[in-house]
Amino acid sequence: MTDYRLFIGGEWIESHSGRHLDAVNPFNQEVWATVPEADPADVDRAVAAARRTFDQTWSKMSGLARAQMMNRLADLLDQHAHRMAVLESTDNGKVIRETENQMHFAARNYRFFAGYADKLYGEVIPLDNPALLDYTLREPVGVCALIIAWNSPMQLLANKLAPALAAGNTVVVKPSEHASVTTLEFAKLVEAAGFPAGVFNVVTGGPAVGDYLTRHPGVDKISFTGGPGTGRVIARNASENLVPVTLELGGKSPNIIFADANLPRAITGAVAGIFAASGQSCIAGSRLLVERAVYNQVMDELVRRARRIRLGNPLEPATEMGPVANQPQYERIVDRIQQGITEGARLVTGGTVKDPGLERGYFIAPTVFGDVAPEMTIAQEEIFGPVLSVIPFDTEDQAVSIANATNYGLAAGVWTENLSRAHRLARALKAGTVWVNTYRTSAAQAPFGGVKRSGYGRERGWHALAEYLVVKNVMIDLSQEDRDPFSIRT
Ligand code: NAD
């Protein structure tokens, strides 16, 4: 049992309120750590520390110095990957085989963006008037508020923090109240990597802390990962101070299997799409669209595979699906399954788990609904759990129109051996990411983000840097002529 403190201005401090939140292990419902519940005074202090360091130290450092620290941080995260993965799996129930990979993937992101830190130059722009010299500077935005969800804290943080640091910003991070421990542990690695005090600050707590932080006049930029409802509140908060905001929100992503696909691989992709991470993944392929000619064949094999998935302790390497992350999430998923049944979808397998060995954990069995109508709630609303809606289709046009008929647009998968069809679908699908013959594959270099209600802005890839930089234009008159003060010079 560890009692954590806030990390502000390079110091580990008690929260101003003295209150704490319990960290609950979703596998056995035991309280295994506590984290401080920050209040506005803590947030004020964190924003002030980030501002001070930005103005006095960090923005004056060379890109090379920033890159060296980021590379050290990546090395430390790799070295501590197993320990950090154990903590994250204990906090959110995600299986260790995934959390450990995510630590290395996060490290890869710090290295990728470290490579940009000393290459953020602008451009010289030729103008019509040769007497004018015009060039751009790419400058950090300032103090960034980074707010993340509970499903993959270290990976979600890396998506934001790596480009923010490379660009020369300082940050205040607010992890989810349901999974804060690894963000606080990560602060120890930031310290060990030699970052100046105040570059990285952590305030823990619930929505009230996030709300205060995102309305704070000392914050220059907000980046948020979480649900669309919260995203709306945050966009409103950002508008109060007119600061830019990046929103990474939910999804109801279609995974489309055509009859001409390599079916064994496609079915593996469908299983990975919805049951990995117990479906608690923004990119979950939660709608499986299957061409009618292979519908029964795909369904039979899918259900067979779903029933074989090993549920258990997320810390055991053999476990394939752990519990869902917390009690409210468990209750939401159970409600949604019930709603699917009420609306007339056919529950083929899954639901709650009766296994006595798992009864203290928040377990939901891999759940498959068949013959789902595209307009049903389970095919429209994000469930964020291991619940798959399988929808048959007859033609390519019909598949595209069903795929695009939700409010979301985060990701989409296409399984086909037909090259032209793959490219047609890549263009026709309204999503920030289209995977062809793969699903749930990530790369530090590949931009990621949503369209429609899945949010705006991009993470990863060089596109992410733009979210944390401001372009300044500099224009210099090289001539020595006097000029007419009442007309614009071009
Ligand atoms: P959530 O929106 O409930 O909470 C996310 C974070 O926002 C938490 O830190 C929370 O404390 C904070 N928060 C809540 N209310 C706030 C407010 N009024 N002002 C400021 N901060 C506030 O989401 P969640 O339940 O933690 O995560 C699940 C959601 O996250 C799903 O919708 C999922 O799709 C989405 N998600 C998206 C991505 C992506 O990259 N697109 C990745 C992971 C999760």
Side-chain angles (χ1 to χ4, degrees), residues 147-151 156 174-177 205-207 210-211 214 224-228 230 233-234 237 248-251 282 382 384 410 448:
I147 301 188
I148 54 174
W150 43 258
N151 59 325
L156 300 181
K174 212 293 287 169
S176 165
E177 60 277 25
D211 194 65
T214 50
F224 169 75
T225 296
T230 315
V233 175
I234 288 187
N237 289 352
E248 293 290 346
L249 309 177
C282 52
E382 183 180 47
F384 218 56
L410 194 57
F448 174 78

PDB file of all heavy atoms in Angstrom, residues 147-151 156 174-177 205-207 210-211 214 224-228 230 233-234 237 248-251 282 382 384 410 448, ligand 1:
ATOM      1  N   ILE A 147      -4.851  16.197 -20.122  1.00  0.00           N
ATOM      2  CA  ILE A 147      -5.840  15.445 -19.324  1.00  0.00           C
ATOM      3  C   ILE A 147      -6.097  14.111 -20.008  1.00  0.00           C
ATOM      4  O   ILE A 147      -6.390  14.081 -21.210  1.00  0.00           O
ATOM      5  CB  ILE A 147      -7.138  16.253 -19.202  1.00  0.00           C
ATOM      6  CG1 ILE A 147      -6.785  17.578 -18.532  1.00  0.00           C
ATOM      7  CG2 ILE A 147      -8.194  15.486 -18.422  1.00  0.00           C
ATOM      8  CD1 ILE A 147      -7.942  18.409 -18.172  1.00  0.00           C
ATOM      9  N   ILE A 148      -5.948  13.042 -19.257  1.00  0.00           N
ATOM     10  CA  ILE A 148      -6.014  11.724 -19.899  1.00  0.00           C
ATOM     11  C   ILE A 148      -7.033  10.801 -19.232  1.00  0.00           C
ATOM     12  O   ILE A 148      -7.431  11.002 -18.088  1.00  0.00           O
ATOM     13  CB  ILE A 148      -4.623  11.043 -19.936  1.00  0.00           C
ATOM     14  CG1 ILE A 148      -3.996  10.982 -18.547  1.00  0.00           C
ATOM     15  CG2 ILE A 148      -3.709  11.742 -20.928  1.00  0.00           C
ATOM     16  CD1 ILE A 148      -2.695  10.203 -18.498  1.00  0.00           C
ATOM     17  N   ALA A 149      -7.407   9.770 -19.989  1.00  0.00           N
ATOM     18  CA  ALA A 149      -8.370   8.757 -19.539  1.00  0.00           C
ATOM     19  C   ALA A 149      -7.634   7.630 -18.794  1.00  0.00           C
ATOM     20  O   ALA A 149      -6.398   7.631 -18.703  1.00  0.00           O
ATOM     21  CB  ALA A 149      -9.112   8.202 -20.750  1.00  0.00           C
ATOM     22  N   TRP A 150      -8.404   6.651 -18.319  1.00  0.00           N
ATOM     23  CA  TRP A 150      -7.822   5.611 -17.468  1.00  0.00           C
ATOM     24  C   TRP A 150      -7.380   4.369 -18.222  1.00  0.00           C
ATOM     25  O   TRP A 150      -6.754   3.479 -17.678  1.00  0.00           O
ATOM     26  CB  TRP A 150      -8.819   5.171 -16.380  1.00  0.00           C
ATOM     27  CG  TRP A 150     -10.234   4.996 -16.858  1.00  0.00           C
ATOM     28  CD1 TRP A 150     -11.252   5.886 -16.658  1.00  0.00           C
ATOM     29  CD2 TRP A 150     -10.793   3.926 -17.625  1.00  0.00           C
ATOM     30  NE1 TRP A 150     -12.401   5.422 -17.260  1.00  0.00           N
ATOM     31  CE2 TRP A 150     -12.147   4.216 -17.850  1.00  0.00           C
ATOM     32  CE3 TRP A 150     -10.275   2.728 -18.136  1.00  0.00           C
ATOM     33  CZ2 TRP A 150     -13.003   3.381 -18.572  1.00  0.00           C
ATOM     34  CZ3 TRP A 150     -11.116   1.888 -18.865  1.00  0.00           C
ATOM     35  CH2 TRP A 150     -12.453   2.225 -19.068  1.00  0.00           C
ATOM     36  N   ASN A 151      -7.741   4.252 -19.501  1.00  0.00           N
ATOM     37  CA  ASN A 151      -7.544   2.945 -20.147  1.00  0.00           C
ATOM     38  C   ASN A 151      -6.093   2.629 -20.488  1.00  0.00           C
ATOM     39  O   ASN A 151      -5.711   1.462 -20.470  1.00  0.00           O
ATOM     40  CB  ASN A 151      -8.449   2.809 -21.371  1.00  0.00           C
ATOM     41  CG  ASN A 151      -8.204   3.886 -22.401  1.00  0.00           C
ATOM     42  OD1 ASN A 151      -7.913   5.021 -22.049  1.00  0.00           O
ATOM     43  ND2 ASN A 151      -8.311   3.544 -23.661  1.00  0.00           N
ATOM     44  N   LEU A 156      -1.300   7.134 -23.452  1.00  0.00           N
ATOM     45  CA  LEU A 156      -2.026   8.377 -23.744  1.00  0.00           C
ATOM     46  C   LEU A 156      -1.179   9.583 -23.361  1.00  0.00           C
ATOM     47  O   LEU A 156      -1.161  10.597 -24.062  1.00  0.00           O
ATOM     48  CB  LEU A 156      -3.365   8.420 -22.996  1.00  0.00           C
ATOM     49  CG  LEU A 156      -4.355   7.288 -23.307  1.00  0.00           C
ATOM     50  CD1 LEU A 156      -5.645   7.477 -22.510  1.00  0.00           C
ATOM     51  CD2 LEU A 156      -4.659   7.212 -24.788  1.00  0.00           C
ATOM     52  N   LYS A 174      -3.177  15.935 -15.659  1.00  0.00           N
ATOM     53  CA  LYS A 174      -4.248  15.468 -14.759  1.00  0.00           C
ATOM     54  C   LYS A 174      -4.673  14.091 -15.262  1.00  0.00           C
ATOM     55  O   LYS A 174      -5.423  13.970 -16.231  1.00  0.00           O
ATOM     56  CB  LYS A 174      -5.422  16.454 -14.814  1.00  0.00           C
ATOM     57  CG  LYS A 174      -6.210  16.600 -13.543  1.00  0.00           C
ATOM     58  CD  LYS A 174      -7.011  15.405 -13.102  1.00  0.00           C
ATOM     59  CE  LYS A 174      -8.238  15.127 -13.924  1.00  0.00           C
ATOM     60  NZ  LYS A 174      -8.803  13.779 -13.580  1.00  0.00           N
ATOM     61  N   PRO A 175      -4.168  13.024 -14.596  1.00  0.00           N
ATOM     62  CA  PRO A 175      -4.598  11.691 -15.004  1.00  0.00           C
ATOM     63  C   PRO A 175      -6.012  11.404 -14.496  1.00  0.00           C
ATOM     64  O   PRO A 175      -6.574  12.179 -13.712  1.00  0.00           O
ATOM     65  CB  PRO A 175      -3.579  10.774 -14.329  1.00  0.00           C
ATOM     66  CG  PRO A 175      -3.096  11.540 -13.139  1.00  0.00           C
ATOM     67  CD  PRO A 175      -3.233  13.006 -13.464  1.00  0.00           C
ATOM     68  N   SER A 176      -6.558  10.288 -14.934  1.00  0.00           N
ATOM     69  CA  SER A 176      -7.914   9.923 -14.491  1.00  0.00           C
ATOM     70  C   SER A 176      -7.908   9.548 -13.009  1.00  0.00           C
ATOM     71  O   SER A 176      -6.974   8.903 -12.525  1.00  0.00           O
ATOM     72  CB  SER A 176      -8.424   8.740 -15.310  1.00  0.00           C
ATOM     73  OG  SER A 176      -9.540   8.174 -14.673  1.00  0.00           O
ATOM     74  N   GLU A 177      -8.976   9.892 -12.326  1.00  0.00           N
ATOM     75  CA  GLU A 177      -9.130   9.505 -10.909  1.00  0.00           C
ATOM     76  C   GLU A 177      -9.182   7.993 -10.767  1.00  0.00           C
ATOM     77  O   GLU A 177      -8.984   7.459  -9.689  1.00  0.00           O
ATOM     78  CB  GLU A 177     -10.383  10.165 -10.310  1.00  0.00           C
ATOM     79  CG  GLU A 177     -11.719   9.814 -10.963  1.00  0.00           C
ATOM     80  CD  GLU A 177     -12.032  10.637 -12.221  1.00  0.00           C
ATOM     81  OE1 GLU A 177     -11.099  11.123 -12.877  1.00  0.00           O
ATOM     82  OE2 GLU A 177     -13.229  10.765 -12.537  1.00  0.00           O
ATOM     83  N   GLY A 205      -6.877  13.798  -9.115  1.00  0.00           N
ATOM     84  CA  GLY A 205      -8.214  14.115  -8.617  1.00  0.00           C
ATOM     85  C   GLY A 205      -9.224  13.868  -9.725  1.00  0.00           C
ATOM     86  O   GLY A 205      -8.877  13.340 -10.792  1.00  0.00           O
ATOM     87  N   GLY A 206     -10.448  14.260  -9.490  1.00  0.00           N
ATOM     88  CA  GLY A 206     -11.529  13.942 -10.421  1.00  0.00           C
ATOM     89  C   GLY A 206     -11.882  15.087 -11.355  1.00  0.00           C
ATOM     90  O   GLY A 206     -11.069  15.989 -11.593  1.00  0.00           O
ATOM     91  N   PRO A 207     -13.120  15.069 -11.875  1.00  0.00           N
ATOM     92  CA  PRO A 207     -13.561  16.075 -12.843  1.00  0.00           C
ATOM     93  C   PRO A 207     -13.375  17.518 -12.353  1.00  0.00           C
ATOM     94  O   PRO A 207     -13.041  18.394 -13.151  1.00  0.00           O
ATOM     95  CB  PRO A 207     -15.044  15.755 -13.018  1.00  0.00           C
ATOM     96  CG  PRO A 207     -15.153  14.297 -12.737  1.00  0.00           C
ATOM     97  CD  PRO A 207     -14.126  14.010 -11.679  1.00  0.00           C
ATOM     98  N   GLY A 210      -9.948  18.701 -13.121  1.00  0.00           N
ATOM     99  CA  GLY A 210      -9.776  18.892 -14.565  1.00  0.00           C
ATOM    100  C   GLY A 210     -10.504  20.139 -15.034  1.00  0.00           C
ATOM    101  O   GLY A 210     -10.003  20.898 -15.868  1.00  0.00           O
ATOM    102  N   ASP A 211     -11.680  20.356 -14.483  1.00  0.00           N
ATOM    103  CA  ASP A 211     -12.482  21.507 -14.873  1.00  0.00           C
ATOM    104  C   ASP A 211     -11.762  22.809 -14.515  1.00  0.00           C
ATOM    105  O   ASP A 211     -11.633  23.719 -15.340  1.00  0.00           O
ATOM    106  CB  ASP A 211     -13.836  21.411 -14.150  1.00  0.00           C
ATOM    107  CG  ASP A 211     -14.848  22.365 -14.738  1.00  0.00           C
ATOM    108  OD1 ASP A 211     -15.213  22.169 -15.906  1.00  0.00           O
ATOM    109  OD2 ASP A 211     -15.238  23.315 -14.030  1.00  0.00           O
ATOM    110  N   THR A 214      -8.698  23.338 -16.771  1.00  0.00           N
ATOM    111  CA  THR A 214      -8.966  23.725 -18.165  1.00  0.00           C
ATOM    112  C   THR A 214      -9.586  25.122 -18.278  1.00  0.00           C
ATOM    113  O   THR A 214      -9.677  25.666 -19.365  1.00  0.00           O
ATOM    114  CB  THR A 214      -9.869  22.691 -18.884  1.00  0.00           C
ATOM    115  OG1 THR A 214     -11.013  22.440 -18.061  1.00  0.00           O
ATOM    116  CG2 THR A 214      -9.140  21.395 -19.126  1.00  0.00           C
ATOM    117  N   PHE A 224      -6.742  16.825 -24.531  1.00  0.00           N
ATOM    118  CA  PHE A 224      -7.625  15.969 -23.735  1.00  0.00           C
ATOM    119  C   PHE A 224      -7.867  14.644 -24.426  1.00  0.00           C
ATOM    120  O   PHE A 224      -8.108  14.601 -25.634  1.00  0.00           O
ATOM    121  CB  PHE A 224      -8.969  16.690 -23.530  1.00  0.00           C
ATOM    122  CG  PHE A 224     -10.046  15.816 -22.960  1.00  0.00           C
ATOM    123  CD1 PHE A 224     -10.026  15.463 -21.606  1.00  0.00           C
ATOM    124  CD2 PHE A 224     -11.073  15.320 -23.749  1.00  0.00           C
ATOM    125  CE1 PHE A 224     -11.013  14.637 -21.068  1.00  0.00           C
ATOM    126  CE2 PHE A 224     -12.074  14.496 -23.221  1.00  0.00           C
ATOM    127  CZ  PHE A 224     -12.029  14.159 -21.874  1.00  0.00           C
ATOM    128  N   THR A 225      -7.830  13.561 -23.664  1.00  0.00           N
ATOM    129  CA  THR A 225      -8.298  12.258 -24.145  1.00  0.00           C
ATOM    130  C   THR A 225      -9.343  11.749 -23.164  1.00  0.00           C
ATOM    131  O   THR A 225      -9.076  11.626 -21.964  1.00  0.00           O
ATOM    132  CB  THR A 225      -7.143  11.244 -24.223  1.00  0.00           C
ATOM    133  OG1 THR A 225      -6.206  11.711 -25.193  1.00  0.00           O
ATOM    134  CG2 THR A 225      -7.644   9.881 -24.663  1.00  0.00           C
ATOM    135  N   GLY A 226     -10.517  11.455 -23.702  1.00  0.00           N
ATOM    136  CA  GLY A 226     -11.593  10.962 -22.842  1.00  0.00           C
ATOM    137  C   GLY A 226     -12.889  10.895 -23.621  1.00  0.00           C
ATOM    138  O   GLY A 226     -12.887  10.831 -24.852  1.00  0.00           O
ATOM    139  N   GLY A 227     -13.984  10.914 -22.907  1.00  0.00           N
ATOM    140  CA  GLY A 227     -15.293  10.742 -23.539  1.00  0.00           C
ATOM    141  C   GLY A 227     -15.775  12.011 -24.238  1.00  0.00           C
ATOM    142  O   GLY A 227     -15.363  13.121 -23.891  1.00  0.00           O
ATOM    143  N   PRO A 228     -16.680  11.863 -25.207  1.00  0.00           N
ATOM    144  CA  PRO A 228     -17.182  13.022 -25.957  1.00  0.00           C
ATOM    145  C   PRO A 228     -17.931  14.031 -25.084  1.00  0.00           C
ATOM    146  O   PRO A 228     -17.841  15.233 -25.319  1.00  0.00           O
ATOM    147  CB  PRO A 228     -18.136  12.406 -26.990  1.00  0.00           C
ATOM    148  CG  PRO A 228     -17.826  10.958 -27.007  1.00  0.00           C
ATOM    149  CD  PRO A 228     -17.194  10.593 -25.722  1.00  0.00           C
ATOM    150  N   THR A 230     -17.313  14.803 -21.920  1.00  0.00           N
ATOM    151  CA  THR A 230     -16.298  15.615 -21.246  1.00  0.00           C
ATOM    152  C   THR A 230     -15.596  16.505 -22.272  1.00  0.00           C
ATOM    153  O   THR A 230     -15.267  17.662 -21.975  1.00  0.00           O
ATOM    154  CB  THR A 230     -15.264  14.713 -20.543  1.00  0.00           C
ATOM    155  OG1 THR A 230     -15.957  13.679 -19.856  1.00  0.00           O
ATOM    156  CG2 THR A 230     -14.419  15.490 -19.565  1.00  0.00           C
ATOM    157  N   VAL A 233     -17.387  19.713 -22.668  1.00  0.00           N
ATOM    158  CA  VAL A 233     -17.178  20.635 -21.532  1.00  0.00           C
ATOM    159  C   VAL A 233     -15.808  21.289 -21.677  1.00  0.00           C
ATOM    160  O   VAL A 233     -15.649  22.504 -21.486  1.00  0.00           O
ATOM    161  CB  VAL A 233     -17.252  19.859 -20.190  1.00  0.00           C
ATOM    162  CG1 VAL A 233     -16.908  20.767 -19.028  1.00  0.00           C
ATOM    163  CG2 VAL A 233     -18.635  19.237 -20.012  1.00  0.00           C
ATOM    164  N   ILE A 234     -14.815  20.498 -22.043  1.00  0.00           N
ATOM    165  CA  ILE A 234     -13.450  21.028 -22.133  1.00  0.00           C
ATOM    166  C   ILE A 234     -13.330  22.040 -23.274  1.00  0.00           C
ATOM    167  O   ILE A 234     -12.683  23.076 -23.130  1.00  0.00           O
ATOM    168  CB  ILE A 234     -12.456  19.864 -22.245  1.00  0.00           C
ATOM    169  CG1 ILE A 234     -12.407  19.200 -20.866  1.00  0.00           C
ATOM    170  CG2 ILE A 234     -11.081  20.326 -22.727  1.00  0.00           C
ATOM    171  CD1 ILE A 234     -11.416  18.153 -20.646  1.00  0.00           C
ATOM    172  N   ASN A 237     -14.691  25.124 -21.917  1.00  0.00           N
ATOM    173  CA  ASN A 237     -13.733  25.734 -20.993  1.00  0.00           C
ATOM    174  C   ASN A 237     -12.606  26.430 -21.760  1.00  0.00           C
ATOM    175  O   ASN A 237     -12.186  27.535 -21.409  1.00  0.00           O
ATOM    176  CB  ASN A 237     -13.129  24.675 -20.058  1.00  0.00           C
ATOM    177  CG  ASN A 237     -14.138  24.181 -19.033  1.00  0.00           C
ATOM    178  OD1 ASN A 237     -15.236  24.720 -18.925  1.00  0.00           O
ATOM    179  ND2 ASN A 237     -13.768  23.160 -18.281  1.00  0.00           N
ATOM    180  N   GLU A 248      -9.148  14.070 -28.226  1.00  0.00           N
ATOM    181  CA  GLU A 248      -9.119  12.664 -28.650  1.00  0.00           C
ATOM    182  C   GLU A 248     -10.254  11.965 -27.923  1.00  0.00           C
ATOM    183  O   GLU A 248     -10.153  11.681 -26.726  1.00  0.00           O
ATOM    184  CB  GLU A 248      -7.778  12.018 -28.258  1.00  0.00           C
ATOM    185  CG  GLU A 248      -6.585  12.567 -29.007  1.00  0.00           C
ATOM    186  CD  GLU A 248      -6.566  12.162 -30.465  1.00  0.00           C
ATOM    187  OE1 GLU A 248      -7.317  11.245 -30.859  1.00  0.00           O
ATOM    188  OE2 GLU A 248      -5.823  12.782 -31.228  1.00  0.00           O
ATOM    189  N   LEU A 249     -11.339  11.699 -28.648  1.00  0.00           N
ATOM    190  CA  LEU A 249     -12.544  11.229 -27.956  1.00  0.00           C
ATOM    191  C   LEU A 249     -12.876   9.787 -28.316  1.00  0.00           C
ATOM    192  O   LEU A 249     -11.997   9.025 -28.685  1.00  0.00           O
ATOM    193  CB  LEU A 249     -13.689  12.190 -28.273  1.00  0.00           C
ATOM    194  CG  LEU A 249     -13.349  13.676 -28.044  1.00  0.00           C
ATOM    195  CD1 LEU A 249     -14.494  14.577 -28.448  1.00  0.00           C
ATOM    196  CD2 LEU A 249     -12.954  13.942 -26.596  1.00  0.00           C
ATOM    197  N   GLY A 250     -14.097   9.442 -28.214  1.00  0.00           N
ATOM    198  CA  GLY A 250     -14.478   8.037 -28.355  1.00  0.00           C
ATOM    199  C   GLY A 250     -14.659   7.594 -29.794  1.00  0.00           C
ATOM    200  O   GLY A 250     -14.380   8.326 -30.738  1.00  0.00           O
ATOM    201  N   GLY A 251     -15.125   6.374 -29.947  1.00  0.00           N
ATOM    202  CA  GLY A 251     -15.353   5.845 -31.287  1.00  0.00           C
ATOM    203  C   GLY A 251     -16.388   4.731 -31.288  1.00  0.00           C
ATOM    204  O   GLY A 251     -16.790   4.224 -30.229  1.00  0.00           O
ATOM    205  N   CYS A 282     -10.276   3.198 -27.320  1.00  0.00           N
ATOM    206  CA  CYS A 282     -11.040   4.158 -28.130  1.00  0.00           C
ATOM    207  C   CYS A 282     -11.180   3.667 -29.557  1.00  0.00           C
ATOM    208  O   CYS A 282     -12.157   3.961 -30.222  1.00  0.00           O
ATOM    209  CB  CYS A 282     -10.355   5.513 -28.094  1.00  0.00           C
ATOM    210  SG  CYS A 282      -8.618   5.414 -28.522  1.00  0.00           S
ATOM    211  N   GLU A 382     -20.899   4.281 -28.101  1.00  0.00           N
ATOM    212  CA  GLU A 382     -19.696   3.597 -27.618  1.00  0.00           C
ATOM    213  C   GLU A 382     -20.005   2.867 -26.314  1.00  0.00           C
ATOM    214  O   GLU A 382     -20.657   3.431 -25.431  1.00  0.00           O
ATOM    215  CB  GLU A 382     -18.601   4.636 -27.367  1.00  0.00           C
ATOM    216  CG  GLU A 382     -17.296   4.026 -26.926  1.00  0.00           C
ATOM    217  CD  GLU A 382     -16.233   5.088 -26.677  1.00  0.00           C
ATOM    218  OE1 GLU A 382     -16.532   6.083 -26.002  1.00  0.00           O
ATOM    219  OE2 GLU A 382     -15.105   4.903 -27.157  1.00  0.00           O
ATOM    220  N   PHE A 384     -17.377   0.793 -24.813  1.00  0.00           N
ATOM    221  CA  PHE A 384     -16.077   0.786 -24.152  1.00  0.00           C
ATOM    222  C   PHE A 384     -15.938  -0.448 -23.272  1.00  0.00           C
ATOM    223  O   PHE A 384     -15.556  -0.398 -22.110  1.00  0.00           O
ATOM    224  CB  PHE A 384     -15.874   2.062 -23.324  1.00  0.00           C
ATOM    225  CG  PHE A 384     -14.461   2.586 -23.382  1.00  0.00           C
ATOM    226  CD1 PHE A 384     -13.852   2.871 -24.581  1.00  0.00           C
ATOM    227  CD2 PHE A 384     -13.723   2.788 -22.220  1.00  0.00           C
ATOM    228  CE1 PHE A 384     -12.553   3.345 -24.649  1.00  0.00           C
ATOM    229  CE2 PHE A 384     -12.413   3.262 -22.269  1.00  0.00           C
ATOM    230  CZ  PHE A 384     -11.834   3.549 -23.485  1.00  0.00           C
ATOM    231  N   LEU A 410     -13.382   7.666 -35.597  1.00  0.00           N
ATOM    232  CA  LEU A 410     -12.007   7.531 -35.105  1.00  0.00           C
ATOM    233  C   LEU A 410     -11.194   6.600 -36.001  1.00  0.00           C
ATOM    234  O   LEU A 410     -10.159   6.969 -36.521  1.00  0.00           O
ATOM    235  CB  LEU A 410     -12.010   7.039 -33.655  1.00  0.00           C
ATOM    236  CG  LEU A 410     -10.676   7.171 -32.919  1.00  0.00           C
ATOM    237  CD1 LEU A 410     -10.181   8.610 -32.919  1.00  0.00           C
ATOM    238  CD2 LEU A 410     -10.782   6.668 -31.487  1.00  0.00           C
ATOM    239  N   PHE A 448      -2.510  10.120 -35.611  1.00  0.00           N
ATOM    240  CA  PHE A 448      -3.689   9.466 -35.046  1.00  0.00           C
ATOM    241  C   PHE A 448      -4.646  10.530 -34.517  1.00  0.00           C
ATOM    242  O   PHE A 448      -4.221  11.481 -33.864  1.00  0.00           O
ATOM    243  CB  PHE A 448      -3.248   8.537 -33.902  1.00  0.00           C
ATOM    244  CG  PHE A 448      -4.399   7.921 -33.170  1.00  0.00           C
ATOM    245  CD1 PHE A 448      -5.079   6.852 -33.715  1.00  0.00           C
ATOM    246  CD2 PHE A 448      -4.830   8.440 -31.950  1.00  0.00           C
ATOM    247  CE1 PHE A 448      -6.166   6.292 -33.059  1.00  0.00           C
ATOM    248  CE2 PHE A 448      -5.913   7.892 -31.287  1.00  0.00           C
ATOM    249  CZ  PHE A 448      -6.577   6.807 -31.845  1.00  0.00           C
TER     250      PHE A 448
HETATM  251  P1  NAD B   1     -13.822  10.806 -19.122  1.00  0.00           P
HETATM  252  O1  NAD B   1     -14.169  11.792 -20.174  1.00  0.00           O
HETATM  253  O2  NAD B   1     -14.821  10.447 -18.101  1.00  0.00           O
HETATM  254  O3  NAD B   1     -12.526  11.280 -18.301  1.00  0.00           O
HETATM  255  C1  NAD B   1     -11.317  11.599 -18.933  1.00  0.00           C
HETATM  256  C2  NAD B   1     -10.548  12.574 -18.072  1.00  0.00           C
HETATM  257  O4  NAD B   1     -11.251  13.813 -18.017  1.00  0.00           O
HETATM  258  C3  NAD B   1     -10.345  12.133 -16.631  1.00  0.00           C
HETATM  259  O5  NAD B   1      -9.041  12.506 -16.232  1.00  0.00           O
HETATM  260  C4  NAD B   1     -11.403  12.921 -15.887  1.00  0.00           C
HETATM  261  O6  NAD B   1     -11.120  13.140 -14.542  1.00  0.00           O
HETATM  262  C5  NAD B   1     -11.388  14.220 -16.664  1.00  0.00           C
HETATM  263  N1  NAD B   1     -12.616  15.017 -16.561  1.00  0.00           N
HETATM  264  C6  NAD B   1     -13.878  14.579 -16.339  1.00  0.00           C
HETATM  265  N2  NAD B   1     -14.739  15.629 -16.336  1.00  0.00           N
HETATM  266  C7  NAD B   1     -13.997  16.743 -16.569  1.00  0.00           C
HETATM  267  C8  NAD B   1     -14.305  18.134 -16.701  1.00  0.00           C
HETATM  268  N3  NAD B   1     -15.548  18.604 -16.582  1.00  0.00           N
HETATM  269  N4  NAD B   1     -13.292  18.992 -16.971  1.00  0.00           N
HETATM  270  C9  NAD B   1     -12.035  18.538 -17.117  1.00  0.00           C
HETATM  271  N5  NAD B   1     -11.679  17.240 -16.969  1.00  0.00           N
HETATM  272  C10 NAD B   1     -12.647  16.348 -16.717  1.00  0.00           C
HETATM  273  O7  NAD B   1     -13.329   9.506 -19.927  1.00  0.00           O
HETATM  274  P2  NAD B   1     -12.885   8.115 -19.322  1.00  0.00           P
HETATM  275  O8  NAD B   1     -14.081   7.379 -18.839  1.00  0.00           O
HETATM  276  O9  NAD B   1     -11.729   8.312 -18.409  1.00  0.00           O
HETATM  277  O10 NAD B   1     -12.318   7.405 -20.637  1.00  0.00           O
HETATM  278  C11 NAD B   1     -13.117   6.746 -21.554  1.00  0.00           C
HETATM  279  C12 NAD B   1     -13.300   7.596 -22.802  1.00  0.00           C
HETATM  280  O11 NAD B   1     -12.049   8.000 -23.315  1.00  0.00           O
HETATM  281  C13 NAD B   1     -13.956   6.808 -23.918  1.00  0.00           C
HETATM  282  O12 NAD B   1     -14.941   7.589 -24.548  1.00  0.00           O
HETATM  283  C14 NAD B   1     -12.811   6.547 -24.876  1.00  0.00           C
HETATM  284  O13 NAD B   1     -13.188   6.316 -26.198  1.00  0.00           O
HETATM  285  C15 NAD B   1     -11.993   7.768 -24.716  1.00  0.00           C
HETATM  286  N6  NAD B   1     -10.616   7.533 -25.165  1.00  0.00           N
HETATM  287  C16 NAD B   1     -10.197   8.139 -26.326  1.00  0.00           C
HETATM  288  C17 NAD B   1      -8.916   7.895 -26.811  1.00  0.00           C
HETATM  289  C18 NAD B   1      -8.421   8.562 -28.083  1.00  0.00           C
HETATM  290  O14 NAD B   1      -7.212   8.659 -28.252  1.00  0.00           O
HETATM  291  N7  NAD B   1      -9.280   9.013 -28.969  1.00  0.00           N
HETATM  292  C19 NAD B   1      -8.065   7.063 -26.093  1.00  0.00           C
HETATM  293  C20 NAD B   1      -8.520   6.480 -24.922  1.00  0.00           C
HETATM  294  C21 NAD B   1      -9.802   6.731 -24.456  1.00  0.00           C
END
